[in-house]
Every structure is written in structure tokens, then in C-alpha cells.
Amino acid sequence: GIIHPGLIGTAPSAELLKIWNEREAALVAEEGTDSEKTLCKHLATRPLALLPEPKGAMLGKLGRFVEKAGDDSWDRIASEAARTIPGREHGGNCDIKNLSRGCTVYFPCFVDGALLSMGDMHFSQGDGEVSFCGAIEMSGFLDL
């Protein structure tokens, strides 16, 4: 296989996060109406947007849901934090099999230091986890 991270991206700024949450809230509000932009009501397709969901959130150095839920500061941040789906302007759930050892990729930086993050290691997969069942998952670590 071609080992690669399914998730890779830089941190959004507060302004960009606000834009995402507003844009995706409008898409979610259309679900089940004639304005819906997907075939989700007819087919088992992936949604265009997933709003922030504190339950199960993993916020890097700030901690995980099971440890931090109920802490006012953590709850506030988790209720605004971006989900990994869909991919966005910063990267995200890319699932590009050739994004592997030896490649070069450029992501925009929205905050000082970029705060690049990666995860969801795949042993092998076709391009773009379109049906959410195309990857052979694996544990691993990344060394930059």
C-alpha cells in the first residue's frame, strides 16, 4: 500500500472558523428541504457539512471529551471547533493516497505557526474516501 495520512491541515483563524460555521449551518438547515444540495434524502451519500459537536471532540493539547466535558472553557471551544469533515480551505479530510513519503504539499497559514496537524493513518486506499469505506486503517506516527 501507499501509507498516508487521511487528515492533514493547518489551524483556522477565529474569523475563518466563523465563516465555516455560518456556511455549514446554512447547508444543514437545508437538509430535507427542496433547497438541499445533495441527494442525501434519496441515497446514502456523505453530507456537505457537519456542525461542531462537543461530544467526542479531541482538541489537541486542550484535551479530549472524556476528560474535559463540563469545563466551561473547553465546552465553549468544543462547541465552535471544526469537524474533520468536510475538507476545507485549510486541508482537512483529504484522503489523497499520493500524499505520502517524498511528496510536497502546500497549505495556507491562517494563524501564527500554522499549527499543522495530521492523523487518520491509512495503509492503503483509493483517492478520496467517497463512501467512507475505502481505506485500510492503521496505527502509526508521523515524523516531520
Side-chain angles (χ1 to χ4, degrees):
I2 302 175
I3 297 170
H4 65 281
L7 300 170
I8 183 171
T10 56
S13 63
E15 295 82 11
L16 185 57
L17 191 57
K18 182 177 185 291
I19 290 168
W20 291 347
N21 287 336
E22 290 172 358
R23 177 178 67 201
E24 293 174 22
L27 290 169
V28 168
E30 294 174 355
E31 289 177 3
T33 72
D34 291 337
S35 299
E36 188 171 17
K37 295 176 177 62
T38 70
L39 296 174
C40 288
K41 62 185 169 193
H42 303 290
L43 301 169
T45 60
R46 60 196 290 180
L48 289 176
L50 291 173
L51 298 177
E53 171 57 59
K55 186 175 182 180
M58 297 171 57
L59 301 177
K61 292 180 180 179
L62 296 179
R64 297 174 40 216
F65 172 76
V66 295
E67 303 158 347
K68 297 289 188 166
D71 175 278
D72 289 342
S73 178
W74 190 93
D75 287 346
R76 181 187 57 77
I77 293 167
S79 69
E80 299 171 352
R83 305 277 298 271
T84 59
I85 299 168
R88 299 178 184 89
E89 295 88 336
H90 73 305
N93 193 5
C94 299
D95 293 316
I96 302 169
K97 68 181 178 186
N98 292 328
L99 186 58
S100 189
R101 186 179 313 142
C103 77
T104 301
V105 63
Y106 297 93
F107 290 103
C109 297
F110 299 101
V111 297
D112 287 342
L115 303 177
L116 180 71
S117 61
M118 291 183 250
D120 188 25
M121 298 297 293
H122 297 159
F123 173 75
S124 186
Q125 164 179 1
D127 271 338
E129 200 169 343
V130 174
S131 65
F132 280 124
C133 62
I136 300 171
E137 306 287 343
M138 62 176 277
S139 63
F141 65 93
L142 297 159
D143 186 16
L144 300 176

